[in-house]
Amino acid sequence: MVESTRHPPVVTSRASPPGPFRQDFWRSPLRGPWLSSLLGAALMPLIVTCAFTGYLSHAAYDPNLGHNAVNPGGVDLYFFRWPTHPAWLYAVTQGLHVAAGVAAIPLLLAKLWAVIPKLFEWPPIRSIAHAIERLSLALLVGSGLFVLATGLLNIQLFYAWRFSFVPVHYYAAILFLAALAFHVVVKLPVARRAFRERGVLAPLRESLIQTAPEPAGHDTTAPTNPGTPTISRRGFVATVGVATAGLGVMAGAQSVGGPLRDLALLTPHGRTRGSGPNDFQINKPAATVGVSAGQTGPDWRLVVMRAGATPLSFSRADLLGMAQFTYDLPIACVEGWTTTQRWTGVRLGDLARAAGAGPHDQVLVESLQTGGAFHQATLAANAVNDSRALLALRVNGVDLSLDHGYPARLIVPALPGVHCTKWVSRMTFAAEA
Ligand SMILES: Nc1nc2c(c(=O)[nH]1)N[C@H]1C(S)=C(S)[C@@H](COP(=O)(O)O)O[C@H]1N2
Ligand SMILES: [Mo]
């Protein structure tokens, strides 16, 4: 028998167990290198967006926020200081991160469906090269699903695990990107050939009747025993595309206001609670973190000091007696939701001067809340010195509600929501390291 070099005949090992391990088990005529390549190519811009905005998010978390930012081995991988202009910067980068990640889910599932015969290859290992390829695919798929799943659970506020989300999501993403780079290098020739032979988009012009299987061969996902198509490639790709766009819009809508906001159907912070001045999204209500009205009553004092110097103490009336400023600023959460409100309060710069802090001082802000990752935050000097950075006392013309941080909370332009500490009790200025 003469083997064709282009499509050598399928060698189904006699030892191959029945069912999915037999290549003729997988019958969809849609599967093949062209479909896998198209879905892979479509995933790339979403993955690049997630990777880039994820990196930016870690940069925005700097400086050290209660050890939440990831600085491997203490090495600062962020070669720039996160700016405080424009105020909506983090709302955009993190909104994109979450929208692109959510939009990738249907595409990734479709891609996995397209290549699933590879999972059941028999014999499982044919050579050392084959073993390396399969191991890299296991890493790629495993880390990819893990990064998406942890991200998805995080934006649903579901923390039913014991590890800390930030470093785990971060390192899994690095593993994924490394495995992806390897995969792209290995598969680029396959994709090139599929697109050259079939056209990049030409198969999308075929109707159901014209839908023919890709040629089967050794080491391909194209079926050796194709069934009759029940959907055209165009129909399949359009279905996945609509799911991708729809989920992306629903996730992205929580980063915008106005009527589009109502499209944020699948995320807990999508909708507002009512029409009152304090009825916007709440990340953690006071009761859930153990902050009570008793602690925030008339006896509450804000302690402000420069490290090592005599502490100053302010009552809420003292703070209201200082110069008040009002700005429209967003809270932009790492979970990909944003809400812009009108905040009124004291400039951080004025508190810094009152404490005798220098122009290059950072500030450690601590909350009445005792536990939890966000009971404190450190702001860099550029945030302290931004004239719109406030210790807010009021919102939309009324006192802050307890859930939004009464008696006083931080609101800082362009920083992640985690830096907007609620129920502030102490601010300590110190020179930046
Ligand atoms: N003390 C304290 N401050 C906090 C938090 C917290 O859990 N505890 N959550 C932060 C996070 S993650 C966000 S997104 C904002 C949300 O503010 P909101 O609850 O007023 O909407 O508050 C920040 N301030
Ligand atoms: Mo947040």
Side-chain angles (χ1 to χ4, degrees), residues 281-283 333 337 367 369 374 404 409 417-418 420 422-423:
Q281 293 76 6
I282 297 169
N283 176 273
C333 182
W337 58 271
S367 171
Q369 179 190 345
F374 310 137
H404 281 305
R409 73 168 304 166
V418 284
C420 297
K422 304 196 277 191
W423 316 291

Side-chain angles (χ1 to χ4, degrees), residues 86-160:
W88 40 261
L89 184 62
Y90 191 74
V92 169
T93 66
Q94 196 59 15
L96 275 175
H97 185 76
V98 168
V102 171
I105 292 171
L107 262 177
L108 182 72
L109 294 178
K111 168 92 180 162
L112 292 177
W113 174 83
V115 299
I116 191 138
K118 300 220 79 166
L119 181 61
F120 296 95
E121 267 173 2
W122 200 268
I125 295 176
R126 290 197 297 262
S127 64
I128 299 208
H130 186 230
I132 293 175
E133 194 209 346
R134 297 207 79 194
L135 188 68
S136 76
L137 287 175
L139 267 183
L140 180 70
V141 175
S143 59
L145 288 176
F146 184 83
V147 171
L148 272 186
T150 48
L152 192 65
L153 292 176
N154 181 265
I155 64 173
Q156 293 296 338
L157 312 180
F158 182 84
Y159 293 96

Side-chain angles (χ1 to χ4, degrees), residues 81-82 84 348-349 379-389 412-413 415:
R81 166 56 45 82
W82 187 256
T84 55
L348 296 191
L379 303 186
N382 70 329
V384 173
N385 295 327
D386 189 299
S387 58
R388 298 160 302 163
V412 191
L415 294 199

Side-chain angles (χ1 to χ4, degrees), residues 278 282 395 398-407 423:
N278 269 290
I282 297 169
V395 64
V398 302
D399 288 348
L400 289 171
S401 69
L402 180 59
D403 284 339
H404 281 305
Y406 182 91
W423 316 291

